[in-house]
């Protein structure tokens, strides 16, 4: 896949010591999650840089072919056919370029967190286990997994022990919680270090989840 993804960034007041690359959901943009940074209340001493990339614009089948920012096409809402594997792989390659750019700029791979919400979480759960350098953590929020049966054959051992944070809304009517739990169960069956949290919410985030993310990030990057 060609050119690197455009993004917005939030840099620490001090030296950059770690990076969180956070992928948005369908139809959103990097601006969607940028306001979460101050809500996380991370200590300045961690030196965390946030990168919020914008997905490419593409026609989305379930929305009548309307063009919008999407990490991949959605041709069907069926449980096992929702994510277009070709698009997932293309977007994963582009996000991998962002990770490599952070490494080239001096951030150690184990100080990089790959995070995503909904469609963005699909990319995080696809790329993270396949990435060839050990990351600091992988985060999938209100999300699911593209063709989980491929994981065992395609995973790279570098991230077999990388902590994976998963969280989901119990009343999510966009990505049913069963889809998130199935992804969690696939990771568990493949011996990943994955945690699971559910919250009384829909397809969104809430303060309890934000506080849990903050604690997790501090544990990973401290």
């Amino acid at each position: 896949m060609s050119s690197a993804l455009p993004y917005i960034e939030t840099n620490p007041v001090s030296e950059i010591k770690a990076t969180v690359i956070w992928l948005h959901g369908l139809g959103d943009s990097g601006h969607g999650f940028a306001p979460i940074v101050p809500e996380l209340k991370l200590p300045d001493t961690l030196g965390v840089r946030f990168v919020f990339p914008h997905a490419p614009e593409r026609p989305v089948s379930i929305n009548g072919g309307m063009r919008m920012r999407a990490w991949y096409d959605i041709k069907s809402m069926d449980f096992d056919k929702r994510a277009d594997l070709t698009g997932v792989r293309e977007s994963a390659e582009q996000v991998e370029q962002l990770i490599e750019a952070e490494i080239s700029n001096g951030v150690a791979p184990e100080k990089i967190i790959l995070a995503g919400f909904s469609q963005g979480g699909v990319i995080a759960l696809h790329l993270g286990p396949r990435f060839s350098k050990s990351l600091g953590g992988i985060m999938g929020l209100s999300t699911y997994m593209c063709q989980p049966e491929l994981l065992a054959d395609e995973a790279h051992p570098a991230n077999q022990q990388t902590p994976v944070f998963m969280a989901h809304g119990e009343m999510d009517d966009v990505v049913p919680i069963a889809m998130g739990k199935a992804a969690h169960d696939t990771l568990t069956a493949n011996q990943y270090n994955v945690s699971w949290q559910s919250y009384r919410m829909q397809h969104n985030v809430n303060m309890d989840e934000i506080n849990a993310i903050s604690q997790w990030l501090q544990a990973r990057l401290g």
Side-chain angles (χ1 to χ4, degrees):
M1 196 72 178
S2 58
S3 60
L5 294 165
Y7 60 85
I8 62 171
E9 60 194 301
T10 300
N11 289 311
V13 294
S14 55
E15 172 194 2
I16 297 171
K17 300 176 184 176
T19 301
V20 176
I21 298 175
W22 196 309
L23 311 176
H24 63 77
L26 176 66
D28 200 358
S29 73
H31 295 283
F33 272 97
I36 207 170
V37 176
E39 299 291 336
L40 291 167
K41 297 183 172 62
L42 298 178
D44 290 341
T45 52
L46 292 182
V48 183
R49 161 178 162 83
F50 283 82
V51 173
F52 298 98
H54 307 303
E57 290 189 359
R58 68 180 80 221
V60 176
S61 298
I62 60 161
N63 289 335
M66 185 185 302
R67 291 184 64 85
M68 61 185 64
R69 293 199 180 277
W71 297 108
Y72 51 85
D73 188 19
I74 300 177
K75 296 185 172 74
S76 166
M77 293 300 284
D78 291 350
F79 188 97
D80 58 345
K81 298 173 184 169
R82 188 173 295 200
D84 170 53
L85 181 61
T86 299
V88 168
R89 285 177 167 158
E90 289 175 352
S91 287
E93 286 181 24
Q94 290 184 297
V95 175
E96 186 169 349
Q97 291 178 31
L98 291 180
I99 299 174
E100 293 290 359
E102 293 302 305
I103 295 170
S104 296
N105 287 332
V107 180
E110 62 269 20
K111 291 290 187 179
I112 295 175
I113 304 290
L114 178 60
F117 175 84
S118 196
Q119 264 208 352
V122 172
I123 304 303
L125 294 183
H126 181 88
L127 174 58
R130 292 164 172 80
F131 190 64
S132 61
K133 301 179 181 74
S134 297
L135 298 168
I138 301 163
M139 188 163 66
L141 308 177
S142 303
T143 194
Y144 57 103
M145 189 175 286
C146 176
Q147 297 196 16
E149 68 277 5
L150 300 177
L151 178 63
D153 289 336
E154 296 183 358
H156 193 286
N159 284 293
Q160 184 69 54
Q161 300 303 317
T162 299
V164 182
F165 178 102
M166 291 194 69
H168 216 107
E170 294 166 4
M171 299 171 287
D172 193 330
D173 58 357
V174 177
V175 179
I177 190 169
M179 294 181 72
K181 197 66 169 62
H184 165 270
D185 292 348
T186 295
L187 290 165
T188 300
N190 285 274
Q191 283 78 56
Y192 281 85
N193 176 16
V194 56
S195 63
W196 172 263
Q197 295 75 218
S198 65
Y199 298 93
R200 295 291 296 168
M201 63 181 186
Q202 297 178 333
H203 194 62
N204 58 291
V205 297
N206 66 14
M207 277 312 303
D208 288 341
E209 183 181 24
I210 290 170
N211 291 336
I213 291 168
S214 177
Q215 292 172 12
W216 186 80
L217 287 174
Q218 291 180 61
R220 301 281 69 75
L221 302 176

